[in-house]
Amino acid sequence: MKSFVPLLAALAMAFSPIGSTPAAAKDASAHSKTKASKAKAGKTKVKAKQGKRIAIKSTRVIKAAPAAAVIDYDGEHSNFLEWQAVREFIEEMVAQHGFDRSELESLFGQARFIDSAVQLVKPAPPGKPKNWQAYRDRFIEPIRIGAGVRFWNENAQALARAEAAYGVPAEIIVGIIGVETIYGRDTGKFRVPDTLTTLAFAYPETPNRASRMAFFRSELANTLVFAREHKLDPFSLLGSFAGAVGMPQFMPGNILKFGVDFNKDGQIDLRNSSEDAIGSVANFLVQHGWNPEHRGSPVFAADVSPNHAWEPLLERGLAATLRPEELRAAGVTTATAVPAERLYGLVDLQNGAEATEYWVANDNFFAITKYNRSYFYAMSVIELGRAVSAARAD
């Protein structure tokens, strides 16, 4: 997924649909007819990070939010319990995860339909050609750099500890959290069960609708499991319109798999704990291929020959698979010699009508693309981290 989501991630699905998709489509269609006048349009892109359902045994049950819970965004009450697919989902959570049926019925009875989430996940209309410099300027700018300096200074100890434990440089962690949420400034205001329930059972008509519904149903299950294991009210979890949570914008499944209680307080809190966010980002990268032994820059500026023999190298996917001699044989050269014993990939950063930039990237660059499957995203993370580091040194 070469795609941009500063808040969100992400992406290829690894889940099978839960329940009846046709029934969910029918229920969603009926609901839409009653609220068409309330539809609101929006433009952005989703970062949906891939996650697998985690089966965690527990006898604890979740506590539903109180009826008077304050909701500070536009959400419409919908009786999801009348939807066949929701009822099937509840039965599955009872059978597979040991949840109490009445507790889940109480929760889904309070869930709200978020039309803005439905509108925002719709594919964006064809736009202008990709432009790396325009994309870059959105993130490598004074406000974000200044916030990054403050974040680094306030969390220098935790960043150093994460670098020592995981081998991920502080500037990469700082770059990711800055690109995602401006260091916690914009983590999202939606109640996660609301957005995930909406997208799990009323995803808009798109070619990939079935796989996306399966993904969001899995993330809804992950949300309930995470809330139970940490004795949280699920409605207390706030996030993006796609369900991404906290400073690093982890989907609930990724919190379960890669979240770290880095401050050792017994909870994984990515919204309020900078330490947990820092440790979790480092852990995610290591689990997705970050190699601590590969120190130095993850990317090297490159020139390409006019014979275009290098073009097939751009189709190798998000992985470092090429030996330096293969790059040279195809007409790719770097001003700085790259370590001979490592593998690389050829990266193109398109600049609209201007010349495309080419870079040779190692496996650490591609580890960042697992956070968001975009060359633009990974390069922005690297450059923001560098800019914050330089500003901090001034």
Side-chain angles (χ1 to χ4, degrees), residues 35 54 103 177 256 265 312 392:
K35 63 184 295 301
I54 307 298
E103 294 283 355
I177 297 175
L256 282 171
D265 68 349
R392 188 168 176 263

Side-chain angles (χ1 to χ4, degrees), residues 17 25 69 79 95 109 157 191 246 252 266 327 349:
N79 191 353
Q157 184 177 2
R191 299 191 311 183
L327 289 164
L349 301 180

Side-chain angles (χ1 to χ4, degrees), residues 349-369:
L349 301 180
Q350 300 171 37
N351 275 313
E354 303 299 321
T356 296
E357 293 181 24
Y358 294 94
W359 297 77
V360 168
N362 67 21
D363 47 7
N364 287 346
F365 175 90
F366 291 106
I368 301 173
T369 68

